[in-house]
Amino acid sequence: IEERSKNYWLFSYYCNGINFRDIADLKGKNIDGDMLRFVREKTKRTSQGNQSNISCYLIEEAKEIIKKLGNKDCGPNDYVFPILSKGDNSEVINAKVAQLIQTTNKNMKRICGKLKLQKNVTTYFARHSSATILKRSGASISQIQEALGHSNNAVTQKYLDSFEDDTKK
């Protein structure tokens, strides 16, 4: 179970900090060759102009995680990962995603303990770490905003600044 949690965490990190709700909602049609393309679940019900369309390159490590954890024979409308099931209502979906996050966070804490790391490596940390690496690698705030699916640069800047403050501590 720790290995599975580690792989979901790494998948989030490798895919520009994809939110765990969005990982759960990925379908076969979201994989376009070497690209992962999706609309953030958080913005699906908003007007077209406010939806966050996200594209990220699937590095080999991310593809390996899909092979390892993903549903076999995944069609365009099938979930990539065995987290959600067709017919799940919103209450069941929310419960399954919450359980995935809770389990991942608990197992990442165990892994960090075994490695004697003094970090709280949560699902949120994967998202922040990915954004911070992009920033430190010279990506513009606009590029990071697009990768995270934020509505504007101010949200992204605040997001990055809050993490940098935690890092400084």
Side-chain angles (χ1 to χ4, degrees):
I1 286 186
E2 286 179 5
E3 182 71 16
R4 186 178 75 116
S5 293
K6 180 182 85 171
N7 279 304
Y8 279 127
W9 191 94
L10 285 168
F11 186 81
S12 173
Y13 175 77
Y14 293 148
C15 295
N16 297 338
I18 184 175
N19 182 285
F20 269 60
R21 174 63 175 90
D22 295 321
I23 291 173
D25 200 48
L26 288 175
K27 295 193 174 166
K29 64 186 172 190
N30 298 121
I31 299 173
D32 181 14
D34 288 338
M35 298 298 291
L36 183 63
R37 302 181 197 283
F38 63 98
V39 175
R40 282 211 56 204
E41 181 59 34
K42 188 176 181 178
T43 64
K44 276 186 182 174
R45 289 169 198 52
T46 64
S47 64
Q48 284 286 27
N50 292 331
Q51 287 185 342
S52 296
N53 295 298
I54 299 179
S55 295
C56 73
Y57 179 73
L58 285 170
I59 64 172
E60 286 306 314
E61 292 86 348
K63 290 178 188 176
E64 285 300 316
I65 291 169
I66 292 171
K67 284 180 191 171
K68 190 182 299 182
L69 300 181
N71 287 314
K72 306 303 176 223
D73 302 319
C74 180
N77 293 313
D78 297 326
Y79 290 111
V80 172
F81 295 108
I83 300 164
L84 304 178
S85 302
K86 286 182 182 177
D88 284 349
N89 63 33
S90 61
E91 189 175 304
V92 170
I93 290 171
N94 290 338
K96 286 182 174 182
V97 171
Q99 183 64 52
L100 172 67
I101 292 169
Q102 180 182 23
T103 300
T104 301
N105 287 341
K106 180 177 76 177
N107 286 320
M108 291 305 293
K109 185 174 185 172
R110 280 190 197 142
I111 291 167
C112 288
K114 289 176 182 177
L115 297 172
K116 299 190 182 347
L117 297 176
Q118 299 298 315
K119 284 282 186 192
N120 189 18
V121 181
T122 63
T123 58
Y124 198 60
F125 191 89
R127 189 164 166 78
H128 270 289
S129 295
S130 182
T132 301
I133 294 297
L134 286 170
K135 180 181 178 185
R136 291 180 181 166
S137 298
S140 71
I141 297 297
S142 295
Q143 289 171 311
I144 299 168
Q145 172 195 340
E146 183 181 320
L148 294 174
H150 286 159
S151 57
N152 61 56
N153 282 344
V155 171
T156 305
Q157 188 62 55
K158 187 174 181 180
Y159 191 86
L160 291 168
D161 288 346
S162 69
F163 195 63
E164 289 290 334
D165 287 346
D166 288 345
T167 301
K168 289 174 189 172
K169 288 180 189 174

